[in-house]
């Protein structure tokens, strides 16, 4: 199979040894979404790893928002319902950051924006890492590829909050009914009720664990989304550096440039692909693979009937048309600056 050949040519046997616990990091898709990577592809990768004598497992970290993957029970259930059952993929699903997203390893990176990264413990503990990213548009980073899959996707809840905001979530006062559940749940005593019976978060006490976001029955607590998109992308690149810190020689990156949906697989739906399927690319360089994937998508004819149809020519930047205010190149530029990889690449077709 070409996918297995691609992995072998990408250096699979250089990064994986017999008895290695190998984390296959992917996004299982929110319930209702259908654009995520097909489980049958994952099975072929698992079987190849097993033939080397490795012990692969499928993993992702819990989400910040209270969707269908916000705790490990819901997350595993969603993964199975989306087809990632053992009987299909031949490997177990192990959520990287524990039952409620509180199981992480603090990884020192001493970068400009991230000094310590909070990465899902099971990913840090794995012997090798294979990133399987569904390449697509993304409403915060322009596109989502390997850097997004690793930097944001491997971060525990505290790490995701750190990237999305300056740690503290915010209370939407109109939705808060003053039930006090978040006050009782916050183990850092960072939430109190005001005289108006509304929750108030003390950012000096808050450690950014994000638990209150899940706890609030009214969805009244949320991340401070998109306060600074440029900073967000830079933090994501620095987090990727942290994820790979103990795995630079034990990591391989694969982008599935298929069903290139305009937005993240975190939505419970997906719009029509913006271009036809291009294929699958693999690399040992997490920056080069994303640059090559962007270029491949931008070189395509826009798909008829998609949301960019008639708004962009072949060869033009489709991601800037999708998200005019977001400069996706920031993540690649910063990643290159901090030594994560290079934006230069050479494509070899199989
Ligand atoms: S749990 Fe939600 S509704 Fe209840 S006090 Fe906290 S923020 Fe308000
Ligand atoms: S994020 Fe964690 S520490 Fe901060 S207020 Fe919410 S529950 Fe408390």
């Amino acid at each position: 199979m070409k996918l297995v050949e691609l992995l072998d040519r990408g250096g699979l046997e250089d990064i994986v040894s017999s008895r290695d616990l190998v984390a296959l990091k992917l996004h299982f898709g929110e319930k209702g979404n259908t654009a995520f990577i097909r489980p049958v592809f994952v099975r072929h990768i698992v079987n190849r790893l097993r033939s080397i004598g490795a012990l692969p497992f499928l993993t992702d970290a819990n989400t910040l928002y209270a969707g269908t993957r916000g705790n490990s029970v819901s997350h595993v259930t969603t993964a199975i319902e989306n087809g990632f059952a053992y009987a299909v993929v031949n490997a177990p699903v192990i959520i990287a950051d524990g039952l409620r997203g509180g199981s992480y390893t603090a990884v020192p990176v001493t970068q400009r924006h991230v000094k310590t990264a909070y990465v899902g413990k099971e990913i840090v503990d794995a012997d090798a890492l294979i990133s399987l990213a569904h390449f697509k548009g993304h409403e915060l980073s322009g596109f989502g590829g390997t850097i997004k899959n690793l930097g944001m996707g491997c971060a525990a809840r505290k790490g995701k909050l750190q990237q999305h905001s300056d740690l503290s979530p915010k209370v939407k006062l109109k939705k808060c009914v003053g039930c006090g559940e978040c006050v009782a749940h916050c183990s850092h005593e960072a939430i109190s009720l005001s005289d108006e019976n509304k929750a108030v978060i003390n950012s000096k006490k808050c450690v950014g664990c994000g638990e209150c976001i899940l706890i609030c029955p009214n969805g009244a607590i949320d991340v401070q989304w998109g306060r600074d998109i440029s900073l967000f992308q830079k933090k994501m690149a620095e987090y990727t550096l942290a994820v790979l810190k103990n795995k630079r020689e034990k990591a391989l990156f694969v982008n599935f440039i298929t069903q290139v949906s305009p937005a993240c697989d975190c939505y419970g739906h997906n719009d029509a692909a913006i271009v036809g399927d291009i294929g699958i690319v693999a690399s040992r360089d997490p920056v080069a693979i994303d640059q090559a994937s962007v270029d491949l998508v931008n070189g395509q004819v826009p798909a008829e009937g998609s949301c960019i149809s008639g708004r962009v020519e072949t060869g033009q930047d489709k991601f800037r048309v999708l998200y005019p205010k977001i400069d996706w190149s920031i993540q690649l530029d910063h990643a290159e600056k901090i030594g994560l990889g290079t934006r230069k690449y050479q494509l070899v077709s199989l």
Side-chain angles (χ1 to χ4, degrees):
M1 191 195 192
K2 257 191 174 179
L3 174 59
V4 171
E5 189 187 344
L6 175 71
L7 263 64
D8 285 346
R9 292 276 295 274
L12 187 70
E13 291 207 47
D14 296 332
I15 68 141
V16 175
S17 308
S18 174
R19 295 200 298 280
D20 274 358
L21 293 166
V22 184
L24 296 178
K25 165 64 184 82
L26 71 160
H27 189 312
F28 300 115
E30 194 72 1
K31 223 175 261 185
N33 190 290
T34 56
F36 53 86
I37 297 170
R38 294 282 173 271
V40 67
F41 288 129
V42 178
R43 183 187 179 100
H44 283 286
I45 296 169
V46 165
N47 287 347
R48 175 68 184 108
L49 287 165
R50 286 194 183 282
S51 75
I52 300 171
L55 300 168
F57 64 97
L58 276 50
T59 193
D60 195 4
N62 289 313
T63 59
L64 263 186
Y65 53 87
T68 62
R69 295 173 303 122
N71 62 65
S72 289
V73 175
S74 310
H75 205 155
V76 172
T77 304
T78 299
I80 290 170
E81 288 185 6
N82 279 349
F84 296 95
Y86 195 101
V88 179
V89 291
N90 201 22
V93 172
I94 299 175
I95 300 302
D97 58 342
L99 194 62
R100 292 178 186 273
S103 175
Y104 55 76
T105 298
V107 181
V109 271
T110 50
Q111 291 298 308
R112 176 143 182 231
H113 307 290
V114 179
K115 306 294 177 211
T116 303
Y118 305 100
V119 181
K121 188 171 186 312
E122 311 310 342
I123 288 173
V124 176
D125 286 354
D127 297 307
L129 172 65
I130 299 179
S131 165
L132 306 177
H134 170 225
F135 195 83
K136 59 206 173 281
H138 195 278
E139 52 285 359
L140 289 181
S141 50
F143 70 82
T146 293
I147 293 173
K148 179 86 183 22
N149 188 42
L150 294 182
M152 182 59 68
C154 295
R157 178 164 295 120
K158 183 171 175 169
K160 287 189 167 86
L161 263 181
Q162 189 185 12
Q163 292 174 72
H164 277 299
S165 68
D166 294 324
L167 286 176
S168 295
K170 66 172 181 198
V171 178
K172 296 181 200 162
L173 294 178
K174 278 189 186 156
K175 284 192 166 184
C176 175
V177 298
C179 68
E181 282 206 36
C182 57
V183 179
H185 193 85
C186 176
S187 52
H188 297 271
E189 297 179 349
I191 314 183
S192 56
L193 287 181
S194 69
D195 292 344
E196 290 77 38
N197 208 31
K198 301 285 181 187
V200 178
I201 295 177
N202 181 340
S203 58
K204 291 201 176 105
K205 287 186 175 176
C206 172
V207 298
C209 68
E211 293 234 349
C212 52
I213 297 170
L214 292 181
I215 285 297
C216 175
N218 297 310
I221 304 184
D222 203 357
V223 177
Q224 304 196 43
W225 298 105
R227 283 217 322 200
D228 186 337
I229 293 294
S230 157
L231 182 60
F232 165 79
Q233 290 193 42
K234 289 177 183 173
K235 284 182 181 175
M236 204 167 71
E238 293 178 10
Y239 253 80
T240 306
L241 202 65
V243 170
L244 296 175
K245 190 170 178 183
N246 67 346
K247 294 192 178 60
R248 286 313 284 251
E249 303 305 318
K250 299 285 284 180
L252 179 64
F253 315 108
V254 186
N255 280 358
F256 287 72
I257 318 176
T258 52
Q259 279 199 272
V260 184
S261 42
C264 186
D265 295 345
C266 291
Y267 292 108
H269 53 83
N270 52 282
D271 201 355
I274 58 173
V275 293
D277 284 357
I278 295 171
I280 305 169
V281 288
S283 175
R284 296 283 304 276
D285 187 315
V287 184
I289 192 170
D290 276 358
Q291 181 68 64
S293 302
V294 170
D295 293 344
L296 282 165
V297 171
N298 284 340
Q300 295 294 303
V301 181
E304 277 295 318
S306 72
C307 62
I308 60 165
S309 174
R311 295 166 60 201
V312 60
E313 300 294 323
T314 304
Q316 282 187 328
D317 188 341
K318 297 171 178 62
F319 299 99
R320 283 311 283 261
V321 170
L322 278 174
Y323 304 107
K325 291 187 182 155
I326 295 176
D327 179 0
W328 51 260
S329 69
I330 293 168
Q331 57 178 304
L332 297 175
D333 193 43
H334 192 65
E336 192 171 51
K337 274 194 193 122
I338 61 175
L340 193 59
T342 173
R343 294 179 71 175
K344 297 192 186 77
Y345 63 88
Q346 188 188 1
L347 274 179
V348 178
S349 302
L350 293 183

